[in-house]
Amino acid sequence: MLARWDWNSQKAPRKTLGITGAENKLRVAILPELKLGNATVRNVVLLVLDDSNQNVPTGEKTHYQVDAILGYPVLQALGSITFTSDGHFLGGPNSPSGQNGAKLYMHELTPLLECEVETRKVLFSFDTGANSSVLSAHYYRSFPDQFKGLKKKTHRMGGAGGLKETQSYFLPQVQLGVGTTVVALCDIPVLPPIGTDPDKLYGNLGRDLVDGYRSFTM
């Protein structure tokens, strides 16, 4: 879990990289008890970043302050989690069970979602905190015919540590097979190598993958 912190209260910060490749200082702490609705999670490990590193640009003049991010250990403790389109978060044994879904894997603490592109099974990282999806240079190399006639344009991507600007292709539409359904993502940027984990996969899928559904369960 990520949280905010009185930055002057500790010494010797460590470092981590955000999705944009920006370097972020962090400290580690233990939260004895965390209440989520009717659930209580104990001894939660925290990665604590300065507020400014979690102030994410969403445009040239807009930004969004992230106060905390629930990480995999907390979600794993709940067992099953469901996000609904009306803004609710359900967890534990009363969460609906998913049926006919896509395979979900874990790479260290990152969820990986198996989707189908042009009859090929490929892996994407899945970030429920990302507003939109991006594809990687690995995707570009794997499906070169999709890029015929396209030219690169400027793309600005915000994440922990600030804003990164790249020259990227934009695919007008991408068809992803997710379980028994097909999701169409529109105007999706395809990034050059940026030196972070998504380079090794076909991209990072955000909430635009699931926004059209009443709910989704992990």
Side-chain angles (χ1 to χ4, degrees):
M1 178 174 176
L2 297 180
R4 299 167 69 180
W5 188 260
D6 178 1
W7 196 245
N8 296 318
S9 63
Q10 297 283 332
K11 295 181 178 180
R14 304 300 181 183
K15 298 177 181 179
T16 186
L17 293 180
I19 191 172
T20 64
E23 194 173 77
N24 301 279
K25 295 181 179 179
L26 62 82
R27 295 187 173 90
V28 178
I30 300 291
L31 182 65
E33 186 175 276
L34 173 66
K35 291 187 178 296
L36 297 169
N38 294 327
T40 301
V41 185
R42 293 184 172 85
N43 298 321
V44 180
V45 178
L46 304 179
L47 303 180
V48 189
L49 281 70
D50 185 68
D51 287 358
S52 62
N53 291 100
Q54 296 186 80
N55 194 285
V56 180
T58 55
E60 291 186 3
K61 297 183 179 180
T62 58
H63 59 88
Y64 178 75
Q65 181 66 54
V66 178
D67 294 317
I69 301 171
L70 289 180
Y72 174 69
V74 172
L75 302 181
Q76 183 189 42
L78 296 174
S80 176
I81 58 172
T82 296
F83 298 89
T84 67
S85 60
D86 60 357
H88 287 82
F89 170 81
L90 310 174
N94 294 326
S95 178
S97 60
Q99 297 179 351
N100 301 321
K103 290 183 178 180
L104 190 69
Y105 302 91
M106 295 299 299
H107 172 63
E108 296 179 345
L109 298 181
T110 301
L112 305 181
L113 188 64
E114 182 183 83
C115 299
E116 186 174 291
V117 180
E118 295 183 1
T119 71
R120 189 187 309 181
K121 299 289 188 181
V122 297
L123 286 176
F124 299 87
S125 56
F126 182 42
D127 182 1
T128 58
N131 289 328
S132 57
S133 302
V134 295
L135 303 177
S136 68
H138 188 39
Y139 185 99
Y140 171 79
R141 293 191 297 269
S142 300
F143 303 100
D145 289 346
Q146 295 185 11
F147 296 85
K148 290 181 178 178
L150 297 182
K151 295 183 179 180
K152 292 183 178 180
K153 298 187 292 185
T154 299
H155 171 62
R156 295 180 178 88
M157 181 173 64
L163 192 70
K164 185 179 183 67
E165 187 173 286
T166 64
Q167 293 298 309
S168 305
Y169 291 106
F170 283 77
L171 285 177
Q173 188 178 88
V174 178
Q175 299 278 346
L176 296 180
V178 185
T180 58
T181 65
V182 176
V183 180
L185 301 180
C186 299
D187 201 28
I188 302 301
V190 185
L191 306 180
I194 55 177
T196 59
D197 283 346
D199 288 346
K200 305 171 186 176
L201 303 166
Y202 288 80
N204 182 67
L205 300 177
R207 291 201 307 274
D208 52 346
L209 178 74
V210 295
D211 279 346
Y213 295 93
R214 287 180 296 176
S215 67
F216 70 96
T217 298
M218 299 171 64

